[in-house]
Amino acid sequence: MQIERLGNYDFPEDMIATWKQMGIAVLQPIQEQAVQRYKLFEGNSMIVSAPTSSGKTFVGELAAVYQAIHERKTAFLVPLKAIAEEKFKTFRQMYEPSGIRVVVSNRDHKEYDTDIETGNFDIAIIVFEKFFQLLNSNKNFLGSLGLVVIDELQMLADHTRGTNLELILTHLRMQHKGSFQIVGLSAVLGNHGLVNQWLGIVLMVNT
């Protein structure tokens, strides 16, 4: 699937041009499958389980940008501060010229916390711990979102961060009911079938 075909889904020409400049001329198989077979842009929730470098992260990125251009907000969750910093820098560089407001929240970046709580963002990149705090301090936060992307979902098995992620997923399961889209991204997740069944969403596996 040529990247230009994303224009059929309302992505603006300047954004498509930016992706092409970054070397993305054709969607990888897992990305095309998410868009065409699993209806990513129709709000379908899913877990994408695929090896590293398969292109699964761009599935979450596409979903987040699609929500932004349709004036809906995304929480893009990551496990580590370093990942949050990297994505914040990359997303700002790529999407703020198109008018998409990108913010970040971790231990070192608290200057956007008020914006996140008041909804003054399009894509908020948030570490797991901060997102869990938000859920507990603002009961209406999930209701303001169109999409929650959970990157590195395999961190469920991590003894230090898995507990917070499990609690986040419990919140999502309890409040989901189709009101917001969930896209989970996992490199290796031994029990991913159980997780997607528990959340009530589809599983896309690419080996």
Side-chain angles (χ1 to χ4, degrees), residues 8-25:
N8 297 333
Y9 298 94
D10 300 329
F11 288 93
E13 291 183 4
D14 63 336
M15 193 170 294
I16 293 172
T18 297
W19 284 326
K20 291 183 71 174
Q21 290 172 4
M22 298 292 292
I24 305 172

Side-chain angles (χ1 to χ4, degrees), residues 67-179:
Q67 293 286 333
I69 63 179
H70 289 87
E71 300 182 352
R72 295 186 291 265
K73 304 180 191 312
T74 293
F76 201 111
L77 311 186
V78 297
L80 303 172
K81 179 183 71 172
I83 298 176
E85 297 281 356
E86 180 183 355
K87 287 200 182 299
F88 177 55
K89 180 179 179 180
T90 300
F91 281 21
R92 284 190 70 184
Q93 178 183 356
M94 293 184 68
Y95 302 126
E96 286 202 340
S98 297
I100 295 176
R101 177 165 167 74
V102 182
V103 298
V104 64
S105 181
N106 58 39
R107 281 183 302 176
D108 293 342
H109 277 287
K110 300 181 180 180
E111 66 268 30
Y112 297 108
D113 284 6
T114 299
D115 287 333
I116 292 173
E117 291 180 7
T118 59
N120 185 25
F121 68 92
D122 295 304
I123 300 174
I125 301 164
I126 311 173
V127 294
F128 293 162
E129 290 83 358
K130 287 296 293 279
F131 187 73
F132 181 61
Q133 292 171 16
L134 271 170
L135 294 180
N136 285 300
S137 64
N138 186 345
K139 301 300 183 182
N140 298 318
F141 183 64
L142 276 178
S144 70
L145 300 174
L147 168 67
V148 179
V149 177
I150 310 153
D151 201 7
E152 308 290 347
L153 189 57
Q154 72 274 5
M155 294 296 288
L156 270 171
D158 184 90
H159 70 280
T160 58
R161 291 179 172 82
T163 299
N164 273 336
L165 182 51
E166 185 174 349
L167 292 170
I168 288 170
L169 293 177
T170 300
H171 275 274
L172 297 181
R173 179 176 181 266
M174 292 173 61
Q175 298 185 48
H176 184 212
K177 301 177 182 178
S179 58

Side-chain angles (χ1 to χ4, degrees), residues 38-40 42-49 59 146-151 153 156 165 168-186 189 191-205:
Y38 288 87
K39 310 300 182 185
L40 180 69
E42 294 181 20
N44 288 352
S45 293
M46 64 190 73
I47 291 176
V48 182
S49 180
V59 173
L147 168 67
V148 179
V149 177
I150 310 153
D151 201 7
L153 189 57
L156 270 171
L165 182 51
I168 288 170
L169 293 177
T170 300
H171 275 274
L172 297 181
R173 179 176 181 266
M174 292 173 61
Q175 298 185 48
H176 184 212
K177 301 177 182 178
S179 58
F180 53 87
Q181 184 180 17
I182 300 171
V183 175
L185 309 171
S186 176
L189 188 61
N191 62 343
H192 49 52
L194 297 177
V195 173
N196 91 284
Q197 291 173 28
W198 182 66
L199 289 173
I201 63 179
V202 300
L203 171 66
M204 181 171 65
V205 179

